mmCIF file of all heavy atoms in Angstrom:
data_model
loop_
_atom_site.group_PDB
_atom_site.id
_atom_site.type_symbol
_atom_site.label_atom_id
_atom_site.label_comp_id
_atom_site.label_asym_id
_atom_site.label_seq_id
_atom_site.Cartn_x
_atom_site.Cartn_y
_atom_site.Cartn_z
ATOM 1 N N PRO A 1 10.996 18.032 2.006
ATOM 2 C CA PRO A 1 10.243 17.303 3.042
ATOM 3 C C PRO A 1 11.146 16.905 4.211
ATOM 4 O O PRO A 1 12.366 16.834 4.076
ATOM 5 C CB PRO A 1 9.742 16.050 2.304
ATOM 6 C CG PRO A 1 9.937 16.324 0.856
ATOM 7 C CD PRO A 1 11.069 17.277 0.752
ATOM 8 N N THR A 2 10.518 16.624 5.330
ATOM 9 C CA THR A 2 11.243 16.067 6.465
ATOM 10 C C THR A 2 11.601 14.610 6.181
ATOM 11 O O THR A 2 12.694 14.153 6.514
ATOM 12 C CB THR A 2 10.373 16.128 7.735
ATOM 13 O OG1 THR A 2 9.792 17.421 7.844
ATOM 14 C CG2 THR A 2 11.199 15.823 8.970
ATOM 15 N N ILE A 3 10.665 13.897 5.569
ATOM 16 C CA ILE A 3 10.857 12.482 5.271
ATOM 17 C C ILE A 3 9.998 12.115 4.065
ATOM 18 O O ILE A 3 8.912 12.658 3.873
ATOM 19 C CB ILE A 3 10.493 11.611 6.510
ATOM 20 C CG1 ILE A 3 10.888 10.152 6.312
ATOM 21 C CG2 ILE A 3 9.012 11.750 6.859
ATOM 22 C CD1 ILE A 3 10.776 9.322 7.603
ATOM 23 N N VAL A 4 10.515 11.212 3.229
ATOM 24 C CA VAL A 4 9.768 10.706 2.067
ATOM 25 C C VAL A 4 9.649 9.195 2.208
ATOM 26 O O VAL A 4 10.653 8.487 2.243
ATOM 27 C CB VAL A 4 10.457 11.056 0.736
ATOM 28 C CG1 VAL A 4 9.647 10.516 -0.446
ATOM 29 C CG2 VAL A 4 10.648 12.570 0.603
ATOM 30 N N ILE A 5 8.411 8.706 2.284
ATOM 31 C CA ILE A 5 8.140 7.284 2.482
ATOM 32 C C ILE A 5 7.609 6.702 1.171
ATOM 33 O O ILE A 5 6.541 7.086 0.700
ATOM 34 C CB ILE A 5 7.122 7.067 3.612
ATOM 35 C CG1 ILE A 5 7.655 7.662 4.924
ATOM 36 C CG2 ILE A 5 6.805 5.577 3.783
ATOM 37 C CD1 ILE A 5 6.631 7.715 6.032
ATOM 38 N N ASN A 6 8.353 5.784 0.605
ATOM 39 C CA ASN A 6 7.997 5.139 -0.653
ATOM 40 C C ASN A 6 7.445 3.744 -0.364
ATOM 41 O O ASN A 6 8.112 2.936 0.272
ATOM 42 C CB ASN A 6 9.229 5.055 -1.561
ATOM 43 C CG ASN A 6 8.961 4.314 -2.853
ATOM 44 O OD1 ASN A 6 7.922 4.490 -3.483
ATOM 45 N ND2 ASN A 6 9.905 3.487 -3.261
ATOM 46 N N ILE A 7 6.239 3.468 -0.831
ATOM 47 C CA ILE A 7 5.606 2.173 -0.579
ATOM 48 C C ILE A 7 5.604 1.344 -1.859
ATOM 49 O O ILE A 7 5.197 1.820 -2.927
ATOM 50 C CB ILE A 7 4.162 2.351 -0.065
ATOM 51 C CG1 ILE A 7 4.151 3.179 1.220
ATOM 52 C CG2 ILE A 7 3.508 0.986 0.176
ATOM 53 C CD1 ILE A 7 2.773 3.500 1.735
ATOM 54 N N GLU A 8 6.064 0.102 -1.745
ATOM 55 C CA GLU A 8 6.083 -0.823 -2.875
ATOM 56 C C GLU A 8 5.202 -2.033 -2.589
ATOM 57 O O GLU A 8 4.912 -2.359 -1.437
ATOM 58 C CB GLU A 8 7.513 -1.280 -3.183
ATOM 59 C CG GLU A 8 8.411 -0.174 -3.691
ATOM 60 C CD GLU A 8 9.761 -0.681 -4.155
ATOM 61 O OE1 GLU A 8 10.084 -1.869 -3.905
ATOM 62 O OE2 GLU A 8 10.502 0.102 -4.770
ATOM 63 N N LEU A 9 4.810 -2.694 -3.686
ATOM 64 C CA LEU A 9 3.937 -3.867 -3.599
ATOM 65 C C LEU A 9 4.269 -4.775 -4.764
ATOM 66 O O LEU A 9 4.593 -4.296 -5.859
ATOM 67 C CB LEU A 9 2.478 -3.401 -3.690
ATOM 68 C CG LEU A 9 1.365 -4.294 -3.134
ATOM 69 C CD1 LEU A 9 1.527 -4.472 -1.624
ATOM 70 C CD2 LEU A 9 0.018 -3.660 -3.431
ATOM 71 N N ASP A 10 4.192 -6.094 -4.561
ATOM 72 C CA ASP A 10 4.384 -7.019 -5.684
ATOM 73 C C ASP A 10 3.415 -6.675 -6.797
ATOM 74 O O ASP A 10 2.233 -6.397 -6.542
ATOM 75 C CB ASP A 10 4.173 -8.465 -5.230
ATOM 76 C CG ASP A 10 5.393 -9.043 -4.536
ATOM 77 O OD1 ASP A 10 6.423 -8.333 -4.441
ATOM 78 O OD2 ASP A 10 5.329 -10.196 -4.056
ATOM 79 N N GLU A 11 3.890 -6.720 -8.033
ATOM 80 C CA GLU A 11 3.104 -6.234 -9.158
ATOM 81 C C GLU A 11 1.767 -6.955 -9.356
ATOM 82 O O GLU A 11 0.750 -6.293 -9.605
ATOM 83 C CB GLU A 11 3.929 -6.298 -10.442
ATOM 84 C CG GLU A 11 3.279 -5.666 -11.659
ATOM 85 C CD GLU A 11 2.970 -4.186 -11.498
ATOM 86 O OE1 GLU A 11 3.434 -3.568 -10.504
ATOM 87 O OE2 GLU A 11 2.252 -3.638 -12.359
ATOM 88 N N PRO A 12 1.686 -8.280 -9.260
ATOM 89 C CA PRO A 12 0.374 -8.922 -9.429
ATOM 90 C C PRO A 12 -0.668 -8.422 -8.430
ATOM 91 O O PRO A 12 -1.840 -8.258 -8.779
ATOM 92 C CB PRO A 12 0.680 -10.414 -9.210
ATOM 93 C CG PRO A 12 2.121 -10.557 -9.569
ATOM 94 C CD PRO A 12 2.761 -9.286 -9.100
ATOM 95 N N ILE A 13 -0.248 -8.174 -7.208
ATOM 96 C CA ILE A 13 -1.176 -7.669 -6.190
ATOM 97 C C ILE A 13 -1.588 -6.244 -6.517
ATOM 98 O O ILE A 13 -2.760 -5.868 -6.391
ATOM 99 C CB ILE A 13 -0.530 -7.745 -4.787
ATOM 100 C CG1 ILE A 13 -0.199 -9.192 -4.426
ATOM 101 C CG2 ILE A 13 -1.451 -7.130 -3.734
ATOM 102 C CD1 ILE A 13 0.569 -9.349 -3.130
ATOM 103 N N ARG A 14 -0.625 -5.434 -6.949
ATOM 104 C CA ARG A 14 -0.929 -4.051 -7.309
ATOM 105 C C ARG A 14 -1.928 -3.984 -8.461
ATOM 106 O O ARG A 14 -2.900 -3.230 -8.428
ATOM 107 C CB ARG A 14 0.362 -3.316 -7.691
ATOM 108 C CG ARG A 14 0.181 -1.807 -7.879
ATOM 109 C CD ARG A 14 1.469 -1.158 -8.351
ATOM 110 N NE ARG A 14 1.666 -1.357 -9.769
ATOM 111 C CZ ARG A 14 1.165 -0.564 -10.718
ATOM 112 N NH1 ARG A 14 0.413 0.474 -10.395
ATOM 113 N NH2 ARG A 14 1.412 -0.811 -11.990
ATOM 114 N N VAL A 15 -1.695 -4.792 -9.492
ATOM 115 C CA VAL A 15 -2.584 -4.808 -10.657
ATOM 116 C C VAL A 15 -3.982 -5.274 -10.267
ATOM 117 O O VAL A 15 -4.989 -4.716 -10.727
ATOM 118 C CB VAL A 15 -2.007 -5.712 -11.774
ATOM 119 C CG1 VAL A 15 -3.019 -5.900 -12.894
ATOM 120 C CG2 VAL A 15 -0.718 -5.105 -12.323
ATOM 121 N N LYS A 16 -4.056 -6.270 -9.392
ATOM 122 C CA LYS A 16 -5.360 -6.761 -8.926
ATOM 123 C C LYS A 16 -6.122 -5.652 -8.216
ATOM 124 O O LYS A 16 -7.343 -5.482 -8.414
ATOM 125 C CB LYS A 16 -5.176 -7.961 -8.007
ATOM 126 C CG LYS A 16 -6.495 -8.568 -7.530
ATOM 127 C CD LYS A 16 -6.262 -9.774 -6.631
ATOM 128 C CE LYS A 16 -7.586 -10.352 -6.156
ATOM 129 N NZ LYS A 16 -7.391 -11.519 -5.259
ATOM 130 N N ARG A 17 -5.427 -4.888 -7.414
ATOM 131 C CA ARG A 17 -6.072 -3.767 -6.727
ATOM 132 C C ARG A 17 -6.610 -2.741 -7.725
ATOM 133 O O ARG A 17 -7.707 -2.207 -7.559
ATOM 134 C CB ARG A 17 -5.082 -3.090 -5.776
ATOM 135 C CG ARG A 17 -4.771 -3.881 -4.525
ATOM 136 C CD ARG A 17 -3.916 -3.048 -3.588
ATOM 137 N NE ARG A 17 -3.568 -3.768 -2.373
ATOM 138 C CZ ARG A 17 -2.833 -3.249 -1.394
ATOM 139 N NH1 ARG A 17 -2.383 -2.012 -1.491
ATOM 140 N NH2 ARG A 17 -2.564 -3.951 -0.321
ATOM 141 N N LEU A 18 -5.833 -2.451 -8.744
ATOM 142 C CA LEU A 18 -6.279 -1.497 -9.766
ATOM 143 C C LEU A 18 -7.521 -2.009 -10.479
ATOM 144 O O LEU A 18 -8.459 -1.254 -10.755
ATOM 145 C CB LEU A 18 -5.159 -1.243 -10.777
ATOM 146 C CG LEU A 18 -3.910 -0.526 -10.259
ATOM 147 C CD1 LEU A 18 -2.862 -0.426 -11.359
ATOM 148 C CD2 LEU A 18 -4.253 0.859 -9.722
ATOM 149 N N GLU A 19 -7.529 -3.295 -10.788
ATOM 150 C CA GLU A 19 -8.690 -3.895 -11.465
ATOM 151 C C GLU A 19 -9.926 -3.826 -10.583
ATOM 152 O O GLU A 19 -11.040 -3.580 -11.057
ATOM 153 C CB GLU A 19 -8.372 -5.340 -11.844
ATOM 154 C CG GLU A 19 -7.329 -5.470 -12.946
ATOM 155 C CD GLU A 19 -6.910 -6.902 -13.181
ATOM 156 O OE1 GLU A 19 -7.226 -7.770 -12.324
ATOM 157 O OE2 GLU A 19 -6.242 -7.172 -14.204
ATOM 158 N N GLU A 20 -9.743 -4.042 -9.292
ATOM 159 C CA GLU A 20 -10.877 -4.008 -8.362
ATOM 160 C C GLU A 20 -11.481 -2.611 -8.238
ATOM 161 O O GLU A 20 -12.649 -2.459 -7.922
ATOM 162 C CB GLU A 20 -10.434 -4.522 -6.990
ATOM 163 C CG GLU A 20 -10.164 -6.031 -6.971
ATOM 164 C CD GLU A 20 -9.550 -6.497 -5.662
ATOM 165 O OE1 GLU A 20 -9.123 -5.627 -4.860
ATOM 166 O OE2 GLU A 20 -9.490 -7.721 -5.446
ATOM 167 N N ARG A 21 -10.687 -1.607 -8.498
ATOM 168 C CA ARG A 21 -11.197 -0.234 -8.461
ATOM 169 C C ARG A 21 -12.153 0.043 -9.618
ATOM 170 O O ARG A 21 -13.039 0.887 -9.520
ATOM 171 C CB ARG A 21 -10.043 0.767 -8.533
ATOM 172 C CG ARG A 21 -9.173 0.819 -7.298
ATOM 173 C CD ARG A 21 -8.101 1.869 -7.480
ATOM 174 N NE ARG A 21 -7.152 1.912 -6.375
ATOM 175 C CZ ARG A 21 -6.097 2.727 -6.339
ATOM 176 N NH1 ARG A 21 -5.871 3.558 -7.352
ATOM 177 N NH2 ARG A 21 -5.288 2.710 -5.296
ATOM 178 N N GLY A 22 -11.934 -0.657 -10.728
ATOM 179 C CA GLY A 22 -12.796 -0.494 -11.895
ATOM 180 C C GLY A 22 -12.616 0.823 -12.617
ATOM 181 O O GLY A 22 -13.494 1.249 -13.389
ATOM 182 N N LEU A 23 -11.469 1.489 -12.402
ATOM 183 C CA LEU A 23 -11.226 2.776 -13.047
ATOM 184 C C LEU A 23 -10.494 2.590 -14.370
ATOM 185 O O LEU A 23 -9.720 1.645 -14.543
ATOM 186 C CB LEU A 23 -10.393 3.678 -12.129
ATOM 187 C CG LEU A 23 -11.001 3.999 -10.758
ATOM 188 C CD1 LEU A 23 -10.022 4.832 -9.942
ATOM 189 C CD2 LEU A 23 -12.330 4.737 -10.907
ATOM 190 N N VAL A 24 -10.731 3.482 -15.306
ATOM 191 C CA VAL A 24 -10.015 3.466 -16.577
ATOM 192 C C VAL A 24 -8.629 4.055 -16.352
ATOM 193 O O VAL A 24 -8.491 5.175 -15.853
ATOM 194 C CB VAL A 24 -10.766 4.283 -17.652
ATOM 195 C CG1 VAL A 24 -9.966 4.304 -18.949
ATOM 196 C CG2 VAL A 24 -12.150 3.709 -17.881
ATOM 197 N N LEU A 25 -7.586 3.306 -16.715
ATOM 198 C CA LEU A 25 -6.226 3.775 -16.517
ATOM 199 C C LEU A 25 -5.845 4.752 -17.618
ATOM 200 O O LEU A 25 -6.174 4.548 -18.784
ATOM 201 C CB LEU A 25 -5.253 2.597 -16.533
ATOM 202 C CG LEU A 25 -5.488 1.480 -15.507
ATOM 203 C CD1 LEU A 25 -4.416 0.418 -15.640
ATOM 204 C CD2 LEU A 25 -5.516 2.030 -14.085
ATOM 205 N N ASP A 26 -5.125 5.817 -17.252
ATOM 206 C CA ASP A 26 -4.619 6.716 -18.291
ATOM 207 C C ASP A 26 -3.429 6.053 -18.974
ATOM 208 O O ASP A 26 -2.982 4.966 -18.582
ATOM 209 C CB ASP A 26 -4.264 8.093 -17.719
ATOM 210 C CG ASP A 26 -3.113 8.053 -16.710
ATOM 211 O OD1 ASP A 26 -2.336 7.085 -16.707
ATOM 212 O OD2 ASP A 26 -2.992 9.008 -15.925
ATOM 213 N N SER A 27 -2.896 6.682 -20.010
ATOM 214 C CA SER A 27 -1.843 6.062 -20.810
ATOM 215 C C SER A 27 -0.594 5.769 -19.987
ATOM 216 O O SER A 27 0.082 4.754 -20.184
ATOM 217 C CB SER A 27 -1.480 6.964 -21.999
ATOM 218 O OG SER A 27 -1.061 8.240 -21.541
ATOM 219 N N ASN A 28 -0.296 6.640 -19.029
ATOM 220 C CA ASN A 28 0.899 6.436 -18.216
ATOM 221 C C ASN A 28 0.717 5.250 -17.270
ATOM 222 O O ASN A 28 1.627 4.426 -17.116
ATOM 223 C CB ASN A 28 1.209 7.702 -17.415
ATOM 224 C CG ASN A 28 2.610 7.698 -16.850
ATOM 225 O OD1 ASN A 28 3.576 7.853 -17.588
ATOM 226 N ND2 ASN A 28 2.737 7.523 -15.547
ATOM 227 N N GLU A 29 -0.465 5.151 -16.647
ATOM 228 C CA GLU A 29 -0.728 4.023 -15.753
ATOM 229 C C GLU A 29 -0.774 2.710 -16.530
ATOM 230 O O GLU A 29 -0.337 1.666 -16.043
ATOM 231 C CB GLU A 29 -2.028 4.243 -14.992
ATOM 232 C CG GLU A 29 -1.976 5.371 -13.977
ATOM 233 C CD GLU A 29 -0.941 5.142 -12.896
ATOM 234 O OE1 GLU A 29 -0.620 3.968 -12.610
ATOM 235 O OE2 GLU A 29 -0.438 6.126 -12.338
ATOM 236 N N GLN A 30 -1.313 2.755 -17.746
ATOM 237 C CA GLN A 30 -1.347 1.562 -18.590
ATOM 238 C C GLN A 30 0.065 1.105 -18.929
ATOM 239 O O GLN A 30 0.363 -0.093 -18.943
ATOM 240 C CB GLN A 30 -2.125 1.849 -19.876
ATOM 241 C CG GLN A 30 -2.531 0.597 -20.649
ATOM 242 C CD GLN A 30 -3.513 -0.279 -19.884
ATOM 243 O OE1 GLN A 30 -4.450 0.223 -19.271
ATOM 244 N NE2 GLN A 30 -3.283 -1.582 -19.902
ATOM 245 N N LYS A 31 0.942 2.065 -19.172
ATOM 246 C CA LYS A 31 2.338 1.739 -19.479
ATOM 247 C C LYS A 31 3.018 1.097 -18.276
ATOM 248 O O LYS A 31 3.819 0.166 -18.430
ATOM 249 C CB LYS A 31 3.079 3.013 -19.904
ATOM 250 C CG LYS A 31 4.512 2.786 -20.407
ATOM 251 C CD LYS A 31 5.122 4.074 -20.929
ATOM 252 C CE LYS A 31 6.544 3.856 -21.403
ATOM 253 N NZ LYS A 31 6.598 3.000 -22.622
ATOM 254 N N LEU A 32 2.693 1.569 -17.093
ATOM 255 C CA LEU A 32 3.259 0.970 -15.883
ATOM 256 C C LEU A 32 2.868 -0.489 -15.741
ATOM 257 O O LEU A 32 3.663 -1.318 -15.288
ATOM 258 C CB LEU A 32 2.794 1.748 -14.647
ATOM 259 C CG LEU A 32 3.578 3.002 -14.282
ATOM 260 C CD1 LEU A 32 2.849 3.779 -13.199
ATOM 261 C CD2 LEU A 32 4.983 2.653 -13.816
ATOM 262 N N VAL A 33 1.643 -0.813 -16.118
ATOM 263 C CA VAL A 33 1.164 -2.187 -16.022
ATOM 264 C C VAL A 33 1.815 -3.071 -17.079
ATOM 265 O O VAL A 33 2.224 -4.207 -16.804
ATOM 266 C CB VAL A 33 -0.373 -2.237 -16.167
ATOM 267 C CG1 VAL A 33 -0.857 -3.679 -16.276
ATOM 268 C CG2 VAL A 33 -1.034 -1.543 -14.976
#
């Protein structure tokens, strides 16, 4: 790539966003949480 942009977020905010989506997390995403 020309450039790679990595975006981070405080974990409580990230988890809240995931919950608001209402999607079932796969095993890898569950492990991240």
Side-chain angles (χ1 to χ4, degrees):
T2 313
I3 189 170
V4 180
I5 301 170
N6 176 42
I7 302 175
E8 293 187 350
L9 202 63
D10 279 358
E11 187 60 10
I13 299 174
R14 189 184 79 86
V15 171
K16 183 179 179 181
R17 287 187 181 180
L18 294 177
E19 291 173 346
E20 289 172 348
R21 290 182 184 178
L23 301 177
V24 177
L25 302 182
D26 64 20
S27 58
N28 195 72
E29 292 299 333
Q30 195 65 43
K31 187 175 179 68
L32 277 170
V33 172

